[in-house]
Amino acid sequence: MNCEEIREALWNDRDCQFFEYHGRECIIHPFHGGYELWYGKKRCQVEKAEDVFRVPLFDGRALEEITGEIRYYGSGDEI
């Protein structure tokens, strides 16, 4: 999984995108006017899809830095 695959999924599919990073579930949740990134018990709202990749996650590394380490589960409309 790489950033381009996740970007394509975000732009082509308005459902939530699910992935796991070192056993921790993460969700990119699209909503009107932006996206919400759920990771652990934290949530972060961003306006642009590109900003999703710059949010520091569990260990301070952004999604754009860890895409080779995530396990992508795909999309859906429910958790």
Side-chain angles (χ1 to χ4, degrees), residues 9-79:
L10 286 175
W11 291 325
N12 293 325
D13 185 353
R14 290 297 294 177
D15 287 335
C16 294
Q17 303 297 318
F18 298 88
F19 63 95
E20 181 182 291
Y21 174 64
H22 295 285
R24 300 172 187 165
E25 184 177 67
C26 302
I27 303 167
I28 302 170
H29 179 71
F31 66 93
H32 182 69
Y35 299 85
E36 191 167 62
L37 184 61
W38 301 349
Y39 52 107
K41 294 182 179 182
K42 297 180 181 179
R43 294 184 181 190
C44 177
Q45 290 185 356
V46 296
E47 291 182 14
K48 301 176 186 174
E50 192 60 34
D51 293 338
V52 166
F53 300 94
R54 297 187 179 112
V55 174
L57 297 173
F58 304 104
D59 60 0
R61 295 169 61 208
L63 184 56
E64 65 188 0
E65 299 173 283
I66 63 167
T67 53
E69 301 173 50
I70 68 170
R71 182 174 178 189
Y72 180 66
Y73 292 116
S75 63
D77 58 3
E78 294 183 11
I79 297 176

